[in-house]
């Protein structure tokens, strides 16, 4: 199968039209306000097609969007807005390399779940490098129980010119959910089939807290009262300590 977010990239926004991006942005801004610091420059890690990146830019933030998928970044760069254009970087999370620091880094919609467990320490180390002292890291994950609850399920997304079938299989040994996806798109009188595979890891909030603290973050919070909590989403926030 092809790599994650290849053929799917062109359909991603249509398939996620019901995502409440505004609620995510509101959540981040509440955290910024509660912290009381100055938040102007933000990193949107694993930004995908950049919908949230652009939304935050429209709210006045200086945005950097980083993602490992060139196809997703092509969709992000093509979006027009009256806001100042974000800087988009094609980078793996564990290879993040910015030109300076940001006031906060956010990572939404399972972005952190795509990162293999062995890469998490390096991801958090790099976030510590590029988030200013006393800055924030905010991200969400799906709960391990939620991933297990959809084991064996088959889901269908359909429109007049596209059909997406995806199957979820939980691997207990690897502690991850594997999505096999088939995308059928209309090409005149014919249909084109493309496939890709996605793997998301069932990171426990407690493990993530421990890894964040090991990399110099403090005040780590696990938040269950958050956007899409009914769909198993959990948010975590952490403050970069003041030690250089």
């Amino acid at each position: 199968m092809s790599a994650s977010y290849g053929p799917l990239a062109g359909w991603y926004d249509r398939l996620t039209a019901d995502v409440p991006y505004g609620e995510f942005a509101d959540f981040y801004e509440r955290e910024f306000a509660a912290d009381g610091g100055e938040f102007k420059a933000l990193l949107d890690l694993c930004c995908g097609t950049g919908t949230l990146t652009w939304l935050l830019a429209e709210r006045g933030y200086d945005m950097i969007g980083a993602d490992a998928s060139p196809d997703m970044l092509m969709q992000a760069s093509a979006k027009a807005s009256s806001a100042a254009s974000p800087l988009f970087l094609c980078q793996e999370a564990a290879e993040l390399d910015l030109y300076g620091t940001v006031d906060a880094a956010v990572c939404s919609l399972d972005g952190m779940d795509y990162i293999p467990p062995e890469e998490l320490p390096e991801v958090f180390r790099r976030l510590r490098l590029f988030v200013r002292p006393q800055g924030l890291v905010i991200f969400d994950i799906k709960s391990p129980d939620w991933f297990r609850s959809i084991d064996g399920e088959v889901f269908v997304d359909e429109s007049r010119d596209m059909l997406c079938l995806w199957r979820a299989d939980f691997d207990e040994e690897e502690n991850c959910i594997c999505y096999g996806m088939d995308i059928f798109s209309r090409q005149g009188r014919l249909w084109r089939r493309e496939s890709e595979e996605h793997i998301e890891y069932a990171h426990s909030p407690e493990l993530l807290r421990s890894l964040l603290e090991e990399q110099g973050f403090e005040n780590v919070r696990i938040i269950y009262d958050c956007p899409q909590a009914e769909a198993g989403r959990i948010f975590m926030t952490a403050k970069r300590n003041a030690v250089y």
Side-chain angles (χ1 to χ4, degrees):
M1 291 188 177
S2 60
S4 297
Y5 294 116
L8 185 61
W11 301 100
Y12 182 84
D13 286 339
R14 285 176 55 177
L15 291 170
T16 58
D18 59 340
V19 172
Y21 288 103
E23 294 181 17
F24 280 70
D26 292 344
F27 180 91
Y28 301 147
E29 293 195 308
R30 286 195 297 272
E31 292 298 314
F32 299 158
D35 178 82
E38 181 179 357
F39 294 91
K40 179 65 174 175
L42 307 182
L43 167 68
D44 186 4
L45 184 65
C46 305
C47 67
T49 61
T51 300
L52 186 57
T53 320
W54 280 104
L55 176 56
L56 290 167
E58 290 168 356
R59 295 191 181 192
Y61 297 97
D62 297 328
M63 296 302 303
I64 300 172
D67 199 275
S69 168
D71 297 283
M72 294 290 269
L73 289 174
M74 285 180 61
Q75 300 294 322
S77 299
K79 292 179 178 177
S81 172
S82 58
S85 179
L87 171 66
F88 288 108
L89 304 174
C90 189
Q91 294 181 349
E92 297 277 355
E95 298 175 2
L96 182 70
D97 189 11
L98 305 184
Y99 304 110
T101 59
V102 293
D103 300 312
V106 302
C107 183
S108 63
L109 294 170
D110 303 14
M112 200 63 68
D113 288 325
Y114 277 90
I115 299 172
E118 64 272 16
E119 294 183 12
L120 287 171
E122 180 63 13
V123 171
F124 293 151
R125 187 187 76 83
R126 287 179 179 258
L127 286 173
R128 185 183 185 279
L129 283 175
F130 297 113
V131 173
R132 64 162 171 81
Q134 300 296 287
L136 296 178
V137 168
I138 308 172
F139 60 85
D140 64 75
I141 60 171
K142 285 291 185 69
S143 75
D145 286 344
W146 189 87
F147 278 139
R148 290 185 174 89
S149 75
I150 63 170
D151 180 34
E153 295 289 332
V154 177
F155 304 89
V156 180
D157 289 290
E158 184 177 9
S159 66
R160 291 185 60 186
D161 55 353
M162 184 274 299
L163 173 68
C164 181
L165 302 174
W166 53 289
R167 302 161 304 283
D169 295 295
F170 193 85
D171 186 325
E172 287 288 352
E173 183 176 348
E174 297 295 329
N175 195 37
C176 67
I177 192 89
C178 301
Y179 300 116
M181 307 187 76
D182 291 302
I183 305 158
F184 299 84
S185 56
R186 187 184 294 275
Q187 309 287 316
R189 297 177 61 186
L190 302 176
W191 289 81
R192 179 181 181 181
R193 178 183 179 180
E194 298 173 286
S195 300
E196 59 185 60
E197 183 178 79
H198 293 242
I199 298 176
E200 294 191 42
Y201 297 88
H203 302 313
S204 75
E206 293 74 19
L207 171 64
L208 294 170
R209 185 209 298 272
S210 176
L211 293 175
L212 283 163
E213 291 173 345
E214 288 174 6
Q215 296 300 325
F217 290 92
E218 55 194 16
N219 300 337
V220 181
R221 296 163 55 227
I222 302 170
I223 304 171
Y224 296 94
D225 183 14
C226 60
Q228 292 192 323
E230 71 284 354
R233 198 169 301 285
I234 301 169
F235 274 70
M236 296 188 66
T237 69
K239 194 176 187 71
R240 200 279 214 189
N241 67 21
V243 179
Y244 284 88

